[in-house]
Amino acid sequence: MQFNLYRCIYQIFYDPISKLAKSYHPMQKLVLLRHGESVWNKENRFTGWTDVDLSEEGVLQAKRAGQSLKAHGYNFDIGFTSVLKRSIKTLHIVLEELDHLWIPVQKSWRLNERFYGALQGLNKDEIIAQYGAEQVHKWRRDPKELPPAITKDDDRYPGKDLRYKDLTERELPLTENLSQTMDRVLPFWNEFIIPAMRKNQKVIVCAHGNSLRALIQYIDHLTDEEVTTLDLPTGTPLIYELDEGLERIRHYYLE
């Protein structure tokens, strides 16, 4: 009788706690940040791999992002960014606001913006007037739609840029859709970002609208239709809360 009483007390009070403890997984946060406004964002131009600088507003956006992260108690062990200055400078400014300039930062072309081919440098409104809004929307958002390609004798061909001297001809794009962007981003995610998080390092990834869109499609398991409506504001930290399997629990913008 006494044993059954103890058993009942255990099941009422302790067993639920035990089950909760077994189901608990430590949460990890990942910060994704699109660079601040660039001068070509401001001029409404297709940018791609063109190495344009931040606008004055873009610098302020980066500072506000750093201040917001600091106010919410964020700190980082490692940062990842592209090899384009608008992304590099954004991350630098954020880390300066956090007094974190000392942490290691890894740069990779794999986090570059999507390569927009022959559209790079052209005004979006002018292209809409020439080709129509529907076609331009497909070029911008359809994961399978390829913008017009450049040729290798074009000044915009990345093979002429010293920072890409170690890339193979296959890795040097003439144009690129979102699916191809994902194909180059995910190996970097799996080889470098995932291992850092598995070591419980606090990670910030500062990149571009489309390289981050590719990552988000992968993390959130979005369909091609769903990713076409996804838009990322410049200079606003996007926080992902992940379980121990690095599956998404939830995500939100840090204002």
Side-chain angles (χ1 to χ4, degrees):
M1 182 73 178
Q2 189 177 25
F3 173 77
N4 289 334
L5 178 61
Y6 286 150
R7 184 177 180 181
C8 289
I9 293 172
Y10 178 88
Q11 289 177 336
I12 293 171
F13 292 103
Y14 294 103
D15 204 33
I17 296 173
S18 176
K19 288 179 180 177
L20 181 62
K22 288 178 181 177
S23 66
Y24 173 73
H25 298 303
M27 184 188 69
Q28 205 164 357
K29 290 185 179 181
L30 168 69
V31 177
L32 304 181
L33 178 64
R34 184 184 175 192
H35 62 79
E37 181 192 67
S38 74
V39 291
W40 276 15
N41 289 145
K42 185 176 181 179
E43 294 173 7
N44 200 30
R45 296 180 182 273
F46 287 98
T47 309
W49 285 25
T50 310
D51 197 19
V52 301
D53 212 336
L54 293 173
S55 67
E56 290 183 9
E57 176 59 25
V59 171
L60 292 175
Q61 288 176 349
K63 287 184 177 180
R64 288 194 291 265
Q67 290 163 359
S68 179
L69 288 164
K70 184 176 182 178
H72 286 83
Y74 282 80
N75 58 79
F76 300 101
D77 298 306
I78 190 168
F80 298 96
T81 190
S82 73
V83 295
L84 299 170
K85 70 178 71 170
R86 58 192 185 273
S87 180
I88 295 169
K89 287 188 175 182
T90 297
L91 181 56
H92 184 99
I93 293 167
V94 166
L95 295 180
E96 189 168 33
E97 291 293 327
L98 291 167
D99 196 20
H100 271 36
L101 287 175
W102 52 271
I103 71 168
V105 171
Q106 187 167 350
K107 305 180 185 75
S108 174
W109 67 276
R110 289 188 177 275
L111 292 178
N112 275 14
E113 176 59 287
R114 171 184 167 193
F115 190 84
Y116 267 110
L119 297 181
Q120 290 186 174
L122 303 181
N123 181 277
K124 293 174 184 177
D125 290 335
E126 293 174 2
I127 295 300
I128 289 172
Q130 183 175 354
Y131 293 98
E134 183 178 353
Q135 178 59 65
V136 174
H137 182 76
K138 286 182 180 179
W139 282 334
R140 294 186 65 191
R141 296 300 173 86
D142 190 318
K144 302 295 191 294
E145 191 81 10
L146 283 167
I150 60 168
T151 57
K152 291 181 181 178
D153 59 357
D154 194 301
D155 288 340
R156 295 168 291 184
Y157 177 56
K160 298 182 178 183
D161 192 319
L162 185 61
R163 81 194 76 191
Y164 306 118
K165 63 182 176 62
D166 294 327
L167 270 60
T168 65
E169 188 169 341
R170 182 174 174 272
E171 292 171 331
L172 294 167
L174 301 175
T175 183
E176 200 173 42
N177 59 31
L178 185 62
S179 293
Q180 292 168 329
T181 305
M182 181 183 285
D183 288 343
R184 66 167 160 84
V185 169
L186 287 185
F188 187 82
W189 166 262
N190 288 317
E191 187 175 352
F192 297 103
I193 301 175
I194 288 287
M197 290 192 291
R198 293 233 180 266
K199 292 189 288 187
N200 291 318
Q201 291 185 314
K202 299 179 181 70
V203 172
I204 180 170
V205 180
C206 183
H208 305 263
N210 282 293
S211 53
L212 291 177
R213 187 177 284 117
L215 268 185
I216 290 168
Q217 182 175 16
Y218 179 77
I219 296 170
D220 286 347
H221 309 292
L222 300 180
T223 65
D224 286 349
E225 290 72 25
E226 288 170 329
V227 79
T228 60
T229 63
L230 181 64
D231 197 16
L232 298 175
T234 53
T236 306
L238 176 58
I239 314 300
Y240 270 81
E241 295 181 357
L242 308 171
D243 65 20
E244 69 172 6
L246 300 182
E247 291 291 326
R248 188 202 72 183
I249 300 170
R250 65 175 182 142
H251 64 253
Y252 50 89
Y253 284 104
L254 198 65
E255 300 295 343

